[in-house]
Amino acid sequence: MTPDPTLLAALVAALAVLLAFNLFLSLRLTRIVNALARAQLPDTVPIGAPLPAFHARRLVDGRRIDSDALLGDGAAVLVFVSPGCKACLARQPALDRMWPLMEAAGVALWVVAQGRPQRLRDYFASTRLLPRVVRVGDRDLRRLNPKHAAPFYIFVGADGVVQASDQIGDDNWLSFREQIGDIDPPVG
């Protein structure tokens, strides 16, 4: 039995139309993705602006805690890390060392992490930081750290206003380390 040439021609034509439509959609999607990639997301809350209110969950017990309680009555540093980030892992010993110095200076340290709770517990198990780790929802994370940068920090004054933010290791971070007495720490 030989195939009907009209049917074969119709199938080839239909496949050609579907292929062209698929190509059109793929190119359109590529343009959209490229436009989004070029869009300039803010790094974080602008310097001089109040830190927006947000909710978090403490990693150790899952309790909900509001940003007002996290910040308390003094200054605070929010440090954003990701378990998959090698630079974040390299910063853990320094954060662990700096935490008591921050507390002595009246600055609260909160580590904001994303991921499954058990993975995060394992990630922080070798440090004293576990009680200071919180998880925030996606909406709050986008408001605080839109680019999901890590290791990233936000310094917040006692008045709740953002004083500085950037990648850990910038000039403001180094100045802060000096101010709390973390001078000439080991590399890492």
Side-chain angles (χ1 to χ4, degrees):
M1 178 194 267
T2 48
D4 181 14
T6 308
L7 179 62
L8 282 177
L11 285 174
V12 169
L15 285 174
V17 167
L18 289 174
L19 183 63
F21 185 65
N22 186 331
L23 183 60
F24 167 78
L25 290 177
S26 296
L27 292 173
R28 179 77 178 134
L29 182 60
T30 300
R31 268 189 260 134
I32 290 170
V33 168
N34 286 338
L36 289 174
R38 285 189 303 269
Q40 291 296 322
L41 287 174
D43 290 332
T44 187
V45 180
I47 306 302
L51 187 72
F54 64 93
H55 307 288
R57 294 223 176 256
R58 294 176 58 113
L59 186 60
V60 291
D61 57 14
R63 260 191 7 223
R64 182 180 158 147
I65 186 166
D66 294 329
S67 53
D68 289 341
L70 284 175
L71 300 178
D73 295 329
V77 179
L78 302 176
V79 175
F80 296 81
V81 298
S82 171
C85 167
K86 289 181 182 177
C88 298
L89 188 59
R91 300 291 185 187
Q92 270 189 358
L95 289 172
D96 197 39
R97 182 186 65 247
M98 290 172 62
W99 177 31
L101 298 171
M102 288 182 196
E103 283 197 338
V107 178
L109 168 66
W110 291 100
V111 179
V112 181
Q114 290 296 109
R116 293 186 328 266
Q118 187 56 50
R119 182 174 183 205
L120 293 174
R121 281 187 207 92
D122 293 345
Y123 185 73
F124 289 102
S126 65
T127 73
R128 296 177 288 176
L129 298 172
L130 192 58
R132 308 307 294 178
V133 179
V134 295
R135 297 173 59 227
V136 297
D138 289 337
R139 189 180 116 247
D140 286 331
L141 183 63
R142 280 191 303 274
R143 291 184 322 148
L144 298 169
N145 185 1
K147 292 185 179 178
H148 296 248
F152 186 80
Y153 71 88
I154 300 175
F155 287 134
V156 184
D159 56 0
V161 173
V162 174
Q163 296 178 349
S165 66
D166 207 335
Q167 294 292 126
I168 288 181
D170 76 338
D171 289 341
N172 287 325
W173 182 262
L174 296 176
S175 174
F176 174 68
R177 284 178 41 192
E178 275 185 44
Q179 291 171 36
I180 63 169
D182 188 35
I183 300 169
D184 296 325
V187 177

